[in-house]
Amino acid sequence: MQQLITGMEILHVAAECYPVAKAGGLGDVVGALPKYQNMLGHIAKVVLPMYRTKFLYENNWEVVHKSGTSLGNWWFEYTIIRESTNKLGFDLYLVDINGLLDREKVYGYDDDNERFLAFQIAVVHWLNSWQHKPDVVHVHDHHTALIPFMMQSCYDFQRLRNIPTVITIHNAQYQGWLGWEKSNLIPRWDGWNWGLLDWNKAINPLACGIKCAWKVTTVSNSYLEELRYNSNGLEALFEYERGKSSGILNGIDTDVWDPATDTYLDKHYSVKTVDEGKQANKEIVCRTFNLDIEKPLIVFIGRLVGEKAADLLPRAIEDALFYIGRKMNFMILGSGEPHVEHQLSSLQNPYVGYYNSQIGYNEKLSHQLYAAADFLLMPSRVEPCGLNQMYSMRYGTIPMVTKTGGLKDTVKDFGEPQGYGICFDHPAVGEITHAVYRAVELYQQETKVKNIRKKIMQLDFSWNTSAKKYLDLYESLS
Ligand code: ADP
Ligand code: GLC
């Protein structure tokens, strides 16, 4: 059996991949999973759009393919380049489509639908020219979810129809909807298969990926269960496709996320030196952001959107400081909905010394905060997996989370036997405030906190187990 999977060739196609381009956890996963698959003796490669990122300019590239194809009536040339030193631990290919993909941001343009459609068409067009085909094509989220359909239903790509495909759903909220008037943008396809593209009278790339991929995975078991009754309109589809769906919990890249070597940190530490190490990092952060070093530091890092319940933060923070008293510090790092950004910035004045925020995306500061914080707050309404809580634990920071999705699968309340986090049932202001109260109380119990820190730093959230689960899944398709 083992023989069969040795040296499988896996092609990951995605919109993000750390450190090339990252907007959130998708980037972290696509930057790590292939590396671990390669370490297990396989050949995993990644293809993503050629955005105009720092990584592009600071590395060496070679052109591996040049061709042209069309997006509806628009003929476009595309170029595939490969990073020439294999510095990421896997072959990285970027697709350059002049004017369409080579922009600074990953998402957020009016023509995002067309951009990702052209990207997918170029990838499939290129793949069609390969002499030796990969053993599996693994796509991630809606930006790449039309690929399984194109491989099976587009006349020009019939050579690809027997290659197994897997789709991983990192977030089902976003589905990439397209009006049917755009159906001509997809390369000539078998009209009998229109039902594969359609969901509620629109082309729904995510739904189409779920229907067409040979296997569907979600990034935690609990999320898979939740999708059957809460998936932004796809509930019936998830119920129908249960047979080919499974949950595989994300791992974290323990090379990148290691407080003993993290290049973003001024003070390194390990399990043995966690208390001094965290104190030193906390001092730096508290000095920089004018916070009180004596008080427990509670941080939030993430996208300021409804799924993360970021809208509840301003009120919860004010309530906590009012009802519990100024016994804690808060620090927020995030960007997202403008009104939430504004509210979180406005709290700075009234609560100088106890509260601060940094609006924007800052990779370095995120690492510093995971190291400096005593607690990490994640009151998410929906959390398919969540990486922040795993990073925080690796850095000895106690997570405070709602019992949902991957948070439920990775954090156990300290009130339970063998527990180590703070969990609450619902993303509600009162429950967040109560969790803050519990954090403040826990912080007083120094020995308990020290023991929890040591314990969570040693929990195994590495990719080793999950990378093997994906390989077993691919193997089941061969
Ligand atoms: P999601 O992908 O839903 O945003 P995850 O928990 O899976 O949530 O991953 C979020 C990733 O993005 C983590 O690596 C986190 O540290 C990072 N991140 C989120 N917001 C910011 C920010 N403003 N600055 C730096 N890193 C951020
Ligand atoms: C998504 C989810 C997040 C998950 C990440 C990586 O962005 O919102 O929960 O951890 O993808 O799979």
Side-chain angles (χ1 to χ4, degrees), residues 259 267-282 370-374 392-397 449-458:
K267 301 282 178 192
H268 291 136
Y269 60 93
S270 63
V271 180
K272 280 196 184 131
T273 55
V274 53
D275 297 316
E276 307 87 90
K278 285 189 75 66
Q279 184 69 9
N281 284 287
K282 185 174 172 182
Y370 287 119
D374 297 297
S392 83
M393 290 191 268
R394 177 117 170 107
Y395 284 60
T397 300
V449 169
K450 285 184 176 176
N451 289 338
I452 293 181
R453 281 180 181 162
K454 288 199 163 52
K455 181 186 180 107
I456 56 184
M457 281 186 80
Q458 293 176 84

Side-chain angles (χ1 to χ4, degrees), residues 311-336:
D311 50 304
L312 303 182
L313 289 174
R315 177 75 197 278
I317 290 169
E318 286 208 280
D319 279 7
L321 287 165
F322 182 76
Y323 291 113
I324 305 167
R326 302 195 170 188
K327 294 182 183 164
M328 74 304 276
N329 294 309
F330 291 98
M331 174 70 205
I332 310 281
L333 168 63
S335 61

Side-chain angles (χ1 to χ4, degrees), residues 25-26 29 170-171 219 250 303 308 383-387:
L26 170 65
V29 171
H170 298 260
N171 197 327
V219 290
N250 286 333
R303 294 180 291 122
K308 304 284 179 193
E383 197 58 81
C385 176
L387 299 173

Side-chain angles (χ1 to χ4, degrees), residues 271-466:
V271 180
K272 280 196 184 131
T273 55
V274 53
D275 297 316
E276 307 87 90
K278 285 189 75 66
Q279 184 69 9
N281 284 287
K282 185 174 172 182
E283 268 167 28
I284 297 168
V285 164
C286 287
R287 213 178 313 123
T288 313
F289 293 99
N290 191 17
L291 298 168
D292 183 350
I293 180 83
E294 298 303 324
K295 310 265 160 52
L297 173 60
I298 302 175
V299 306
F300 172 94
I301 300 168
R303 294 180 291 122
L304 301 176
V305 296
E307 279 183 294
K308 304 284 179 193
D311 50 304
L312 303 182
L313 289 174
R315 177 75 197 278
I317 290 169
E318 286 208 280
D319 279 7
L321 287 165
F322 182 76
Y323 291 113
I324 305 167
R326 302 195 170 188
K327 294 182 183 164
M328 74 304 276
N329 294 309
F330 291 98
M331 174 70 205
I332 310 281
L333 168 63
S335 61
E337 285 164 15
H339 71 281
V340 180
E341 290 185 353
H342 175 73
Q343 279 182 307
L344 288 168
S345 300
S346 324
L347 284 183
Q348 276 167 6
N349 265 342
Y351 300 110
V352 172
Y354 300 93
Y355 171 88
N356 214 327
S357 64
Q358 185 88 2
I359 301 302
Y361 188 91
N362 187 332
E363 189 73 30
K364 179 173 184 186
L365 181 57
S366 75
H367 287 240
Q368 291 172 326
L369 293 180
Y370 287 119
D374 297 297
F375 298 93
L376 176 99
L377 177 60
M378 277 182 94
S380 309
R381 292 190 172 93
V382 180
E383 197 58 81
C385 176
L387 299 173
N388 297 20
Q389 80 280 11
M390 297 196 255
Y391 296 146
S392 83
M393 290 191 268
R394 177 117 170 107
Y395 284 60
T397 300
I398 302 172
M400 303 163 64
V401 304
T402 28
K403 288 184 197 159
T404 186
L407 299 176
K408 187 164 139 193
D409 295 357
T410 52
V411 183
K412 199 167 176 187
D413 192 90
F414 77 91
E416 293 173 33
Q418 315 300 323
Y420 43 82
I422 295 180
C423 302
F424 44 100
D425 290 322
H426 305 106
V429 169
E431 296 202 24
I432 300 172
T433 315
H434 185 245
V436 171
Y437 173 76
R438 291 185 70 207
V440 171
E441 292 286 295
L442 176 60
Y443 190 73
Q444 312 305 323
Q445 304 172 51
E446 218 175 298
T447 317
K448 200 163 185 170
V449 169
K450 285 184 176 176
N451 289 338
I452 293 181
R453 281 180 181 162
K454 288 199 163 52
K455 181 186 180 107
I456 56 184
M457 281 186 80
Q458 293 176 84
L459 294 175
D460 183 7
F461 292 116
S462 72
W463 267 109
N464 294 330
T465 317
S466 300

